[in-house]
């Protein structure tokens, strides 16, 4: 066993200090990761609309970088499982940075194939931004777990809220150096993702997942009661946690993706769109200040129910909001973000609780693949639905998907509180 790891295996005080330091490193990286994430959310659909000349494929960028995030989630999970969280997470963020640079080049060259490929690679940052939350749980005990997830996610707020509100500023920067205006936010994304990867590569030492695996191996050896990993993982808990995250993701991505297009069609400018999306992204992460505590205190199941109710309210409000009203659109998108937050943190806690520590990184990565793919489907279908019907119809569909989840949660709720 590595000597830098061994001291944490036998010393609880040292382990808690490492747990807190790990959280701070993750928090710092997530501030930059959030800024990188915001670019694709805010202007991805607008770039596609501009380059393709149609609304029907406006959801394609969201789908592409979400498909890319699915592949990256698997890659990051496998690298983390085999080597370390540090290597997996740093690689994912650097892929996101490379993809952002590719998007900038594609807009300069008006090269649609390059745009599509770059958006896929850019998705690596999206996946990593989400997977970083698991690093905070590696050394957390059961009563700290949801709070640790929240602390990792809330730090994303600072960059994620700043990103959309810097759309106009970064557009001006892009203009000043001869780059298309809409590519401006991707300049920010390239730098932010690159810095996030660098922070993790340099500072996430010793690696929390390697320490956690060493602790479990030592405990099993000491107790002479090692169990088969496949039996130790609670598959019912994995399914419940995954379902809550998947539904939260697909409803959020579908409605969020088409909101900039919906607003643009009704006379809202880029600054207004950036404000609404910035508040939405803030609502996705800022409630984490209290969500994790609530999940740990009142239960995973109760917060999953709260997530579904909030997503239903968001879908209905988005559908009926007057198209010229910034207030109602902003409120609907804020509720959409809060519902996602409740669902993602309660689902992640359920998932992490259910997985045996020795296979945690691998299964977490695989589940995030399904979460990403569901989001990609939501993003891709959202443009088709709006083009064929309306934004209101899309929003009602999102509310119905959330409503349908009630039955599944009630069916699976036994044993999860």
């Amino acid at each position: 066993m590595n000597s830098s790891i061994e001291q944490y295996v036998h010393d609880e005080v040292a382990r808690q200090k490492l747990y807190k330091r790990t959280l701070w490193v993750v928090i710092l990286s997530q501030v930059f990761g959030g800024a990188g994430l915001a670019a694709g959310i805010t202007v991805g659909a607008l770039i596609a609309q501009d380059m393709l000349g149609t609304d029907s494929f406006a959801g394609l960028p969201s789908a592409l970088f979400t498909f890319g995030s699915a592949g990256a989630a698997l890659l990051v999970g496998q690298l983390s499982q085999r080597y370390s969280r540090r290597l997996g997470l740093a690689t994912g963020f650097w892929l996101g940075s490379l993809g952002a640079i590719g998007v900038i080049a594609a807009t300069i060259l008006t090269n649609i194939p390059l745009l599509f490929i770059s958006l896929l690679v850019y998705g690596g940052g999206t996946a990593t931004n989400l997977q970083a939350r698991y690093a905070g749980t590696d050394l957390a005990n059961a009563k700290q777990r949801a709070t640790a997830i929240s602390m990792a996610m809330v730090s994303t707020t600072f960059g994620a809220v700043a990103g959309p509100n810097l759309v106009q500023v970064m557009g001006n920067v892009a203009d000043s150096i001869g780059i298309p205006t809409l590519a401006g936010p991707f300049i920010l994304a390239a730098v932010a993702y690159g810095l996030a990867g660098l922070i993790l590569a340099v500072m996430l030492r010793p690696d929390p997942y390697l320490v956690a695996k060493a602790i479990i191996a030592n405990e099993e050896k000491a107790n002479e009661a090692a169990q088969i990993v496949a039996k130790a993982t609670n598959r019912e808990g994995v399914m419940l946690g995954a379902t809550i995250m998947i539904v939260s993701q697909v409803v959020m991505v579908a409605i969020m993706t088409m909101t900039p297009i919906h607003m643009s069609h009704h006379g809202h400018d880029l600054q207004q769109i950036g404000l609404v999306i910035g508040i939405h992204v803030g609502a996705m992460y800022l409630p984490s200040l209290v969500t994790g505590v609530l999940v740990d205190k009142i239960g995973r199941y109760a917060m999953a129910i709260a997530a579904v109710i909030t997503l239903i309210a968001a879908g209905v409000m988005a559908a009926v909001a007057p198209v010229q009203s910034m207030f109602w659109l902003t409120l609907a998108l804020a509720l959409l973000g809060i519902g996602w937050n409740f669902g993602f943190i309660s689902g992640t806690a359920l998932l992490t609780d259910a997985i045996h520590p020795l296979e945690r990184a691998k299964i977490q990565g695989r589940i995030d693949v399904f979460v990403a793919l569901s989001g990609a489907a939501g993003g891709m279908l959202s443009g088709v639905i709006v083009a064929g019907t309306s934004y209101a119809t899309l929003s009602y569909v999102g509310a119905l998907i959330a409503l349908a989840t009630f039955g599944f949660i009630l069916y699976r709720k036994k044993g999860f509180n």
Side-chain angles (χ1 to χ4, degrees), residues 120-324:
L120 281 169
V121 179
Y122 171 78
T126 307
T128 310
N129 202 70
L130 291 176
Q131 285 220 15
R133 74 195 188 277
Y134 293 127
T137 68
D138 286 331
L139 298 174
N141 60 44
K143 293 182 179 180
Q144 295 174 317
R145 201 161 285 148
T147 303
I149 295 165
S150 286
M151 290 180 67
M153 289 181 64
V154 74
S155 56
T156 307
T157 306
F158 301 104
V161 172
N165 287 290
L166 289 173
V167 164
Q168 195 69 55
V169 174
M170 295 306 300
N172 293 338
V173 170
D175 281 338
S176 70
I177 58 177
I179 293 174
T181 303
L182 290 176
F186 282 93
I187 300 173
L188 176 63
V191 174
Y193 276 155
L195 288 173
L198 183 63
I199 288 166
L200 290 165
V202 173
M203 299 177 66
L204 200 63
R205 299 170 184 271
D207 191 274
Y209 188 57
L210 297 184
V211 173
K213 289 203 294 185
I215 291 167
I216 294 300
N218 182 69
E219 288 176 353
E220 291 187 339
K221 182 179 179 180
N223 295 330
E224 297 182 353
Q227 298 180 7
I228 297 173
V229 169
K231 291 183 178 179
T233 291
N234 185 326
R235 303 298 171 182
E236 292 290 311
V238 169
M239 183 176 293
L240 179 60
T243 299
I244 293 165
M245 287 194 290
I246 286 169
V247 169
S248 300
Q249 184 80 351
V250 72
V251 173
M252 185 276 293
V253 169
I255 297 174
M256 175 273 297
T257 295
M258 293 310 298
T259 298
I261 301 297
H262 175 64
M263 293 181 67
S264 179
H265 281 170
H266 291 91
H268 296 281
D269 61 27
L270 202 57
Q271 187 171 355
Q272 290 174 315
I273 293 170
L275 176 62
V276 171
I277 297 301
I279 290 172
H280 163 69
V281 175
M284 288 172 62
Y285 295 101
L286 192 57
S288 301
L289 287 167
V290 296
T291 304
V293 176
L294 290 173
V295 171
D296 281 334
K297 296 294 184 183
I298 70 174
R300 278 71 160 137
Y301 167 71
M303 291 304 294
I305 293 295
V308 172
I309 292 171
T310 309
L311 289 170
I312 292 169
V316 172
M317 187 171 292
V320 302
V323 293
Q324 298 300 330

Side-chain angles (χ1 to χ4, degrees), residues 236 239-240 301 405-414:
E236 292 290 311
M239 183 176 293
L240 179 60
Y301 167 71
T405 311
F406 258 142
F408 182 80
I409 295 175
L410 291 172
Y411 177 72
R412 296 284 184 183
K413 81 181 183 73
K414 186 177 181 181

Side-chain angles (χ1 to χ4, degrees), residues 83-95:
Y83 299 105
S84 66
R85 291 280 189 202
R86 184 175 67 253
L87 177 62
L89 295 175
T91 300
F93 275 131
W94 287 334
L95 282 173

Side-chain angles (χ1 to χ4, degrees), residues 387-409:
T389 55
S390 66
Y391 177 79
T393 300
L394 172 69
S395 301
Y396 281 130
V397 169
L400 287 172
I401 291 171
L403 180 62
T405 311
F406 258 142
F408 182 80
I409 295 175

Side-chain angles (χ1 to χ4, degrees), residues 317-365:
M317 187 171 292
V320 302
V323 293
Q324 298 300 330
S325 173
M326 281 287 291
F327 174 79
W328 288 109
L329 282 171
T330 302
L331 183 57
L333 268 290
L335 285 174
L336 186 68
I338 292 169
W340 178 87
N341 179 272
F342 288 174
F344 224 76
I345 292 179
S346 61
T348 300
L350 280 166
L351 178 70
T352 305
D353 289 347
I355 304 173
H356 189 286
L358 293 184
E359 62 171 2
R360 190 168 283 162
K362 177 176 62 178
I363 293 181
Q364 287 166 339

